[in-house]
Amino acid sequence: MSTMTDHRTHTTGALVVDNVSKSFRGDGGLGEPVPALGNVSLQVDHGEFVSLIGPSGCGKSTLINIAAGLVGDYDGAVRIHGDRVTTPHPGIGMVFQEESTFPWLTTQQNVEFGLRMSGVSAKERRDQARDMIELVGLGNAAERYPAKLSGGMRQRVALARALVMEPEILLMDEPFAALDEQTRMVLGEELLRIQSKLQQTVVFVTHNLGEAVQLSDRVVAMTARPATIKAIVEVDLPRPRDSSIVSSPRYGELVAELWSLLRDEAIAALGERERG
Amino acid sequence: MTVPAAALDPGTRSNRPARAPSLSRVRLAGVLGVLVLWEAAATLFARLATADFFPHLWTLAAAYGEVFSSRFATDVALTGYELFWGLLFGIGSGLLLGLALGLNHFAREIVEPLLVYLGTVPKIVLYPVLLLFLTVGVESKIAMAALSTFFPVVLHTITAATEVRPLWLSAARVLRASALQRLRYVYLPAMAPSVYSGIRLGIAAGIIGTLMAETKAAQGGVGYRVIYYYSQYDIPEMYAVLILVFVFSIALASVLGWIGRRLRLSDSDPAEEGALL
C-alpha cells in the first residue's frame, strides 16, 4: 500500500519528481533557511489522477509550484519528457488555489488568453475557447466578467482557461478550497467527467481527505514541514465515479485510513504554528 | 459611490413606472431652478442692498458681449497652452516615477511616505518659489499645473502597480505569456483603472493650480481675467467668466467619464457621474 519510492519504470511517467528539496529564507531573504520540502520522489503516470494531501502549510503547494515551473531554484529534479523543469513547461496547465481569473476579461477572453499568447488566430481561438466553455458548463456566461460570476463559476473559467491549452498534465492547487461543500462536490464530479473525456494527467493538491478519495487513483500523504512522502494510498474505487461514492463503505474506509496517516502530522503542524 | 446593482442594470430602468421623470428632465429642471433662484436673489439684493453682487440674468447675458469683445480668446489660448504643457509634464513624470516606485519595493518604502505628505500640502504655497525661479510668465504656471497634476498621478500609479496580483502573473506565465506579453496583457489592464482615476484627479488638480496661479500673479489667462474684472468692479463680467469656467469643467469631467466608461476603466453609472457634477 505505501512505498516511499515508486517502482514503476521512469520512462513511462508523465511527471517524475526525483529527490526534490526546497528551503525558503524568512525575513525577506535574510533569515535562516526553513526547509519546505525534503527529498520528495514521486512518479505520476499518463492519465493518472494523483492527489497530494498533508497538513496545511506543509509544502504541497511548493511542490506543485516547482512542477509548474514557477519556482526555478530548487534541489533535485522535476522532469517532464526528461527535461528538468525550471520555467513553465508547455505541457503543463495549472488551476490556482485563489482567484486567478483576469477581472478585466470576459469568460471568453479569459479562456482565450493562453491561445492568444501563443499566437493562435482570432477565429480559431474563439472556437476552441467556446468549446471548452461549453465543456465546463459556462455556455451562458461566456460574455460575462468574473465580477458577475460566483466563486464556483470563476474556478470553472480557470479550469477552462488551463484545459484549452490541451496540457498533458494539469496541476491543481486546492482549486476548490474557497468553495462551499455542495459546489465543491458538483465541481469534483464535473472534473471527473472532463478528465475521463480528455484523459489528462492530473496532480491535485487538497487538504480535503474525502475530495482526494473521490477524485484520485492514488493519494500521496505528506508529512508536516519539511514535507516528505509518508505513504501512498491506492484508491481502488471503480470508475466512472460520481459524488454518490461518498456513501460507499470503501470510501469511508479509505478516508479513515488517510486520516490515521495524517492525524499525527496535522497535530504536529498545528503545534508548530501555535508555538509561532 | 455604492449604487445598488439594480440601479446599474439598464434593464430595470425601463421597468420603472412611466410617470417617473427621466434623468435629463430632472437635470434640466435643476438648471432652471438655479436660474430662478439666481434671479430671485438678484431681485432681493437689488431691493435690500445693491444689484452689484447678484446681477440680473439679462445683465449677465449682456456682460458676455463685453467679455467676448475683449482679449478673452487670447486669455483662453494662454491658459490652454499652460494647461497642455503642465498636464503633459505632470502626468508624464507621475506615470514614470509611479511605475518605477511601484515595481521597486525598497525605493517605494522610502519615497512613498514623502510623496503622501507632500501631496497633502496645497501646492499654491509653493507658487512664490516658482515665481522666484521661473518669473511671472507662462513657465511658472506650467510648473504650477505640473506640480498639482503630478501628485495624484504618481500616488495612484504606485497603488496600481502594487495592486497587480502575483497570482495573475503566475497564471500568465503558465499560459506561456512572455515578459513583454505580461507587461502588455497583465500589468497594463490591471493597472489601468487606478491610473485612469489618478489622471482624472490630476487633471482637475492641474486646472485648479493653473487658474489659482493666474489669479495670484500673471500677465494673462482666464484666472487673471476673473481677478482683473473683480479689481475693476466689473461684477457681471467676472461672473460671466466664472460661469464659462464651470461649464468647461463640467464638459471636461463628462468627456473623461465617457472615455473611462468606454474603456471600462470605471464602472460608475452615467447617473452617478451626473450626481457628482
Side-chain angles (χ1 to χ4, degrees):
Chain A
M1 169 208 88
S2 64
T3 44
M4 285 280 288
T5 50
D6 210 286
H7 44 74
R8 284 162 234 239
T9 53
H10 277 219
T11 45
T12 60
L15 181 79
V16 178
V17 179
D18 187 8
N19 207 17
V20 168
S21 302
K22 171 72 190 170
S23 300
F24 288 103
R25 285 174 184 275
D27 294 334
L30 300 172
E32 285 289 298
V34 180
L37 278 177
N39 305 96
V40 174
S41 292
L42 175 72
Q43 185 178 325
V44 181
D45 288 339
H46 291 284
E48 194 182 18
F49 197 123
V50 171
S51 287
L52 308 178
I53 61 166
S56 37
C58 81
K60 305 170 298 238
S61 293
T62 306
L63 180 57
I64 213 161
N65 278 317
I66 290 172
L70 293 171
V71 179
D73 177 27
Y74 65 97
D75 297 321
V78 171
R79 293 186 194 282
I80 298 168
H81 294 308
D83 302 329
R84 184 171 183 269
V85 173
T86 52
T87 54
H89 190 280
I92 288 282
M94 187 156 177
V95 181
F96 293 85
Q97 177 174 4
E98 295 162 69
E99 197 52 62
S100 74
T101 52
F102 302 125
W104 57 88
L105 299 179
T106 61
T107 298
Q108 177 79 26
Q109 292 164 335
N110 260 288
V111 177
E112 284 184 20
F113 187 88
L115 298 170
R116 192 171 175 195
M117 297 304 109
S118 310
V120 176
S121 76
K123 180 178 177 339
E124 202 158 312
R125 64 176 192 248
R126 190 170 57 237
D127 295 344
Q128 289 182 31
R130 185 145 302 163
D131 290 348
M132 201 50 72
I133 289 166
E134 290 292 340
L135 184 68
V136 299
L138 285 178
N140 54 0
E143 299 309 318
R144 276 197 251 166
Y145 286 88
K148 302 274 180 187
L149 302 175
S150 68
M153 289 165 96
R154 285 200 287 267
Q155 284 308 68
R156 286 174 196 252
V157 175
L159 180 63
R161 187 177 67 179
L163 287 176
V164 78
M165 302 300 284
E166 298 177 350
E168 285 172 59
I169 304 164
L170 185 62
L171 305 174
M172 305 185 79
D173 183 8
E174 302 195 34
F176 308 147
L179 305 177
D180 64 83
E181 189 61 28
Q182 284 128 44
T183 311
R184 173 201 291 266
M185 293 295 266
V186 172
L187 277 185
E189 206 168 282
E190 298 254 311
L191 181 61
L192 282 176
R193 176 179 62 81
I194 291 163
Q195 194 240 351
S196 69
K197 186 170 149 76
L198 303 178
Q199 295 296 311
Q200 232 91 39
T201 304
V202 182
V203 180
F204 190 96
V205 171
T206 180
H207 57 247
N208 186 314
L209 305 182
E211 188 172 78
V213 172
Q214 182 199 352
L215 300 173
S216 313
D217 297 310
R218 285 189 296 158
V219 180
V220 179
M222 305 188 81
T223 63
R225 227 164 228 271
T228 54
I229 293 178
K230 185 166 192 181
I232 298 178
V233 175
E234 302 269 352
V235 179
D236 47 9
L237 293 164
R239 286 185 186 272
R241 302 176 194 157
D242 58 34
S243 51
S244 69
I245 63 157
V246 299
S247 56
S248 78
R250 185 64 188 138
Y251 172 89
E253 283 168 29
L254 286 163
V255 171
E257 185 180 343
L258 285 174
W259 175 236
S260 71
L261 283 168
L262 285 177
R263 189 174 172 274
D264 297 342
E265 302 302 333
I267 290 168
L270 196 63
E272 190 176 293
R273 225 172 324 149
E274 277 174 358
R275 279 197 305 275
Chain B
M1 291 299 281
T2 52
V3 172
L8 293 172
D9 187 356
T12 54
R13 190 166 299 156
S14 57
N15 293 340
R16 282 179 191 168
R19 61 192 172 80
S22 74
L23 199 63
S24 53
R25 280 191 194 169
V26 173
R27 280 183 190 164
L28 189 65
V31 172
L32 287 175
V34 168
L35 290 178
V36 169
L37 276 179
W38 179 282
E39 190 53 41
T43 312
L44 196 67
F45 261 78
R47 292 264 170 79
L48 297 178
T50 163
D52 295 348
F53 293 176
F54 275 111
H56 288 292
L57 289 175
W58 56 85
T59 321
L60 213 50
Y64 280 102
E66 156 59 25
V67 169
F68 290 137
S69 63
S70 71
R71 291 175 57 253
F72 188 62
T74 322
D75 288 315
V76 171
L78 186 67
T79 300
Y81 177 84
E82 293 162 353
L83 264 179
F84 176 79
W85 289 107
L87 294 179
L88 198 70
F89 287 134
I91 292 171
S93 58
L95 285 178
L96 284 178
L97 188 66
L99 262 180
L101 293 177
L103 300 177
N104 185 333
H105 181 77
F106 188 67
R108 186 177 78 234
E109 290 292 314
I110 299 168
V111 182
E112 194 184 7
L114 282 174
L115 290 174
V116 171
Y117 293 133
L118 280 176
T120 59
V121 175
K123 306 308 166 293
I124 196 70
V125 299
L126 295 173
Y127 189 54
V129 182
L130 299 179
L131 282 175
L132 195 63
F133 281 89
L134 298 169
T135 76
V136 79
V138 290
E139 293 85 354
S140 58
K141 316 297 175 298
I142 291 173
M144 191 63 210
L147 197 63
S148 308
T149 308
F150 169 77
F151 284 95
V153 174
V154 74
L155 290 173
H156 276 77
T157 308
I158 293 172
T159 308
T162 58
E163 276 170 357
V164 179
R165 297 178 60 184
L167 203 62
W168 293 333
L169 298 170
S170 295
R173 280 184 66 194
V174 180
L175 292 165
R176 301 174 214 174
S178 66
L180 209 62
Q181 284 177 321
R182 291 199 294 276
L183 201 62
R184 164 70 185 80
Y185 294 105
V186 180
Y187 273 103
L188 192 69
M191 290 176 65
S194 273
V195 170
Y196 163 78
S197 47
I199 289 175
R200 242 185 115 162
L201 290 172
I203 289 174
I207 293 172
I208 294 168
T210 309
L211 291 184
M212 223 180 214
E214 284 177 348
T215 64
K216 300 295 169 201
Q219 293 157 333
V222 175
Y224 167 82
R225 179 63 50 175
V226 172
I227 214 75
Y228 168 82
Y229 282 133
Y230 168 76
S231 66
Q232 301 295 309
Y233 210 66
D234 291 333
I235 302 304
E237 283 77 8
M238 180 193 82
Y239 276 120
V241 176
L242 280 179
I243 289 167
L244 287 178
V245 171
F246 288 144
V247 170
F248 170 74
S249 301
I250 290 169
L252 188 67
S254 305
V255 168
L256 289 173
W258 180 80
I259 291 173
R261 285 192 303 277
R262 280 308 293 263
L263 299 177
R264 285 188 51 84
L265 296 175
S266 67
D267 44 16
S268 54
D269 186 52
E272 194 192 347
E273 291 288 333
L276 291 175
L277 291 178

